[in-house]
Amino acid sequence: VTYDYWEFTGNGSLDVVTAGYADVLVVGGGGAGGSYAGQGGGGGAGGYLEQSSIYLKNGSHTVIVGAGGAPNNNGVTSRLGEYYAVGGGHGGHTYASPGANGGSGGGARGAESASGGTATSGQGNNGGTSNTYQGGGGGGGAGFVGGTPPSNNNGADGGDGLASSITGTSVTRGGGGGGATYNYTGGAGGAGGGGAGVNYNNTGVSGTANTGGGGGGAGAQGGAGGSGGSGVVIVRVARPVSVAAGGAVV
């Protein structure tokens, strides 16, 4: 089988002239890393929704590609018609605050006991908890739960994302952001565009554009968490297919 696909990296529409079946991948914008209050949690990845052989009615289908969250904010939900992928939750950013809920949950802010955010069912994983003031929890990824800070007081790693070959090449998206640390080593971003956490007053690394990766947490006092990476919408249709303005004839 030979396929054609349409990849939306910004808002638009898909105009289907003849109804039929398609494979879709919708990824929400990633949540930002926790900011400004020390040992921020990593941002959760944007929701990850991949479905095969969905029925697309004829007509225009709205496409929204969710932006990544700015510091201390969730990512924006992405959409293809009636199919939604929720924006990722931001990392915790005030003392003992949990990560925010989202497509994948944000990691907890560094504290003796703080919880990660809760993921949207079927779209991601929970953010990592924290059990030490020194390190923030990792943001949840599309494939794995966000990490908990290790015993050496480093920030926790973000959860890894998921690989898709919908475009014919395997690409991993939806990595969670790494948690920050006070003066040790920030957590790594999860595979699939997650940004790394940092230490001291440094700024967290932002998630990669069009992967829905979560932003890395900011360290110590005054640093900004990394912004989340924007999402993406991809539609794949088996040939024969022809292209119409703005979309596909299935």
Side-chain angles (χ1 to χ4, degrees):
V1 178
T2 301
Y3 295 96
D4 289 295
Y5 68 90
W6 290 263
E7 182 171 359
F8 293 85
T9 57
N11 297 343
S13 65
L14 181 72
D15 299 326
V16 178
V17 177
T18 303
Y21 293 93
D23 304 325
V24 300
L25 174 64
V26 184
V27 180
S35 305
Y36 309 131
Q39 296 78 264
Y48 190 100
L49 180 67
E50 185 167 24
Q51 296 196 352
S52 299
S53 299
I54 68 166
Y55 186 75
L56 292 178
K57 299 177 181 178
N58 64 308
S60 182
H61 300 259
T62 299
V63 175
I64 296 175
V65 174
N72 292 341
N73 284 275
N74 285 8
V76 177
T77 295
S78 292
R79 172 188 174 195
L80 169 64
E82 62 189 42
Y83 295 91
Y84 293 81
V86 177
H90 65 77
H93 59 92
T94 58
Y95 182 71
S97 66
N101 301 337
S104 283
R109 194 264 200 195
E112 288 76 10
S113 178
S115 60
T118 301
T120 300
S121 178
Q123 294 198 4
N125 288 279
N126 294 343
T129 61
S130 178
N131 52 17
T132 172
Y133 175 79
Q134 294 286 347
F144 293 89
V145 173
T148 297
S151 59
N152 61 6
N153 293 322
N154 288 346
D157 294 343
D160 287 342
L162 291 173
S164 171
S165 297
I166 191 170
T167 62
T169 300
S170 180
V171 177
T172 301
R173 304 176 178 87
T181 181
Y182 181 70
N183 59 354
Y184 294 90
T185 301
V198 295
N199 58 14
Y200 295 110
N201 292 317
N202 294 312
T203 297
V205 178
S206 294
T208 303
N210 300 123
T211 67
Q221 302 293 327
S227 297
S230 55
V232 70
V233 174
I234 301 173
V235 181
R236 182 176 75 172
V237 179
R239 292 183 181 177
V241 63
S242 58
V243 178
V249 181
V250 181

